[in-house]
mmCIF file of all heavy atoms in Angstrom:
data_model
loop_
_atom_site.group_PDB
_atom_site.id
_atom_site.type_symbol
_atom_site.label_atom_id
_atom_site.label_comp_id
_atom_site.label_asym_id
_atom_site.label_seq_id
_atom_site.Cartn_x
_atom_site.Cartn_y
_atom_site.Cartn_z
ATOM 1 N N PRO F 40 4.480 36.311 -23.444
ATOM 2 C CA PRO F 40 5.940 36.310 -23.548
ATOM 3 C C PRO F 40 6.585 35.544 -22.400
ATOM 4 O O PRO F 40 5.935 35.268 -21.390
ATOM 5 C CB PRO F 40 6.321 37.791 -23.475
ATOM 6 C CG PRO F 40 5.057 38.553 -23.650
ATOM 7 C CD PRO F 40 3.937 37.660 -23.266
ATOM 8 N N ASN F 41 7.865 35.244 -22.530
ATOM 9 C CA ASN F 41 8.621 34.609 -21.444
ATOM 10 C C ASN F 41 8.503 35.455 -20.191
ATOM 11 O O ASN F 41 8.608 36.669 -20.243
ATOM 12 C CB ASN F 41 10.109 34.498 -21.804
ATOM 13 C CG ASN F 41 10.344 33.522 -22.946
ATOM 14 O OD1 ASN F 41 11.073 33.816 -23.873
ATOM 15 N ND2 ASN F 41 9.714 32.376 -22.882
ATOM 16 N N GLY F 42 8.266 34.791 -19.071
ATOM 17 C CA GLY F 42 8.204 35.506 -17.798
ATOM 18 C C GLY F 42 6.896 36.226 -17.555
ATOM 19 O O GLY F 42 6.769 36.995 -16.605
ATOM 20 N N SER F 43 5.873 35.974 -18.392
ATOM 21 C CA SER F 43 4.612 36.691 -18.212
ATOM 22 C C SER F 43 3.733 36.042 -17.138
ATOM 23 O O SER F 43 2.680 36.571 -16.809
ATOM 24 C CB SER F 43 3.851 36.753 -19.540
ATOM 25 O OG SER F 43 3.637 35.451 -20.040
ATOM 26 N N GLY F 44 4.153 34.892 -16.614
ATOM 27 C CA GLY F 44 3.420 34.298 -15.493
ATOM 28 C C GLY F 44 2.603 33.070 -15.840
ATOM 29 O O GLY F 44 1.800 32.608 -15.031
ATOM 30 N N LYS F 45 2.827 32.487 -17.010
ATOM 31 C CA LYS F 45 2.043 31.314 -17.428
ATOM 32 C C LYS F 45 2.267 30.122 -16.494
ATOM 33 O O LYS F 45 1.316 29.520 -16.014
ATOM 34 C CB LYS F 45 2.414 30.917 -18.870
ATOM 35 C CG LYS F 45 2.212 32.007 -19.896
ATOM 36 C CD LYS F 45 2.567 31.539 -21.294
ATOM 37 C CE LYS F 45 4.034 31.202 -21.476
ATOM 38 N NZ LYS F 45 4.938 32.351 -21.347
ATOM 39 N N SER F 46 3.536 29.819 -16.263
ATOM 40 C CA SER F 46 3.829 28.659 -15.402
ATOM 41 C C SER F 46 3.328 28.888 -13.984
ATOM 42 O O SER F 46 2.782 27.978 -13.350
ATOM 43 C CB SER F 46 5.337 28.388 -15.369
ATOM 44 O OG SER F 46 5.800 28.071 -16.654
ATOM 45 N N THR F 47 3.519 30.096 -13.490
ATOM 46 C CA THR F 47 3.044 30.416 -12.146
ATOM 47 C C THR F 47 1.536 30.224 -12.067
ATOM 48 O O THR F 47 1.010 29.651 -11.104
ATOM 49 C CB THR F 47 3.419 31.873 -11.799
ATOM 50 O OG1 THR F 47 4.807 32.062 -12.064
ATOM 51 C CG2 THR F 47 3.136 32.183 -10.344
ATOM 52 N N ASN F 50 0.685 26.532 -12.075
ATOM 53 C CA ASN F 50 1.001 25.922 -10.780
ATOM 54 C C ASN F 50 -0.041 26.260 -9.726
ATOM 55 O O ASN F 50 -0.341 25.445 -8.859
ATOM 56 C CB ASN F 50 2.389 26.364 -10.315
ATOM 57 C CG ASN F 50 3.486 25.516 -10.936
ATOM 58 O OD1 ASN F 50 3.385 24.294 -10.981
ATOM 59 N ND2 ASN F 50 4.509 26.163 -11.453
ATOM 60 N N GLN F 87 7.037 22.123 -16.864
ATOM 61 C CA GLN F 87 7.907 22.507 -17.970
ATOM 62 C C GLN F 87 9.182 21.664 -18.002
ATOM 63 O O GLN F 87 9.625 21.265 -19.061
ATOM 64 C CB GLN F 87 8.264 23.988 -17.820
ATOM 65 C CG GLN F 87 8.341 24.708 -19.148
ATOM 66 C CD GLN F 87 8.366 26.208 -18.961
ATOM 67 O OE1 GLN F 87 8.057 26.725 -17.898
ATOM 68 N NE2 GLN F 87 8.737 26.906 -19.996
ATOM 69 N N ASP F 167 2.223 22.491 -19.389
ATOM 70 C CA ASP F 167 3.069 23.672 -19.503
ATOM 71 C C ASP F 167 4.024 23.494 -20.680
ATOM 72 O O ASP F 167 4.986 22.737 -20.590
ATOM 73 C CB ASP F 167 3.844 23.891 -18.197
ATOM 74 C CG ASP F 167 4.366 25.317 -18.087
ATOM 75 O OD1 ASP F 167 4.258 26.063 -19.090
ATOM 76 O OD2 ASP F 167 4.860 25.681 -17.011
ATOM 77 N N GLU F 168 3.724 24.154 -21.767
ATOM 78 C CA GLU F 168 4.522 24.066 -22.999
ATOM 79 C C GLU F 168 4.849 22.622 -23.369
ATOM 80 O O GLU F 168 6.019 22.238 -23.464
ATOM 81 C CB GLU F 168 5.789 24.908 -22.849
ATOM 82 C CG GLU F 168 5.445 26.361 -22.659
ATOM 83 C CD GLU F 168 6.668 27.260 -22.576
ATOM 84 O OE1 GLU F 168 7.677 26.927 -23.204
ATOM 85 O OE2 GLU F 168 6.582 28.291 -21.897
ATOM 86 N N ASN F 171 7.181 21.781 -26.481
ATOM 87 C CA ASN F 171 8.629 22.043 -26.440
ATOM 88 C C ASN F 171 9.368 20.762 -26.751
ATOM 89 O O ASN F 171 8.988 19.704 -26.284
ATOM 90 C CB ASN F 171 9.030 22.454 -25.019
ATOM 91 C CG ASN F 171 9.167 23.949 -24.904
ATOM 92 O OD1 ASN F 171 8.896 24.659 -25.864
ATOM 93 N ND2 ASN F 171 9.550 24.408 -23.736
ATOM 94 N N ALA F 195 -0.247 25.867 -21.775
ATOM 95 C CA ALA F 195 0.593 27.045 -21.993
ATOM 96 C C ALA F 195 1.367 26.845 -23.285
ATOM 97 O O ALA F 195 1.933 25.776 -23.505
ATOM 98 C CB ALA F 195 1.553 27.242 -20.830
ATOM 99 N N HIS F 197 3.587 28.710 -26.869
ATOM 100 C CA HIS F 197 4.227 29.861 -27.500
ATOM 101 C C HIS F 197 3.830 29.986 -28.967
ATOM 102 O O HIS F 197 3.976 31.042 -29.557
ATOM 103 C CB HIS F 197 5.748 29.743 -27.383
ATOM 104 C CG HIS F 197 6.258 30.145 -26.036
ATOM 105 N ND1 HIS F 197 6.035 31.403 -25.524
ATOM 106 C CD2 HIS F 197 6.944 29.481 -25.098
ATOM 107 C CE1 HIS F 197 6.579 31.485 -24.319
ATOM 108 N NE2 HIS F 197 7.118 30.321 -24.026
HETATM 109 MG MG1 MG Q 2 6.779 28.784 -18.144
#
Side-chain angles (χ1 to χ4, degrees):
Chain F
N41 293 134
S43 57
K45 302 181 295 295
S46 298
T47 309
N50 277 315
Q87 217 166 345
D167 199 352
E168 297 183 31
N171 260 4
H197 281 301

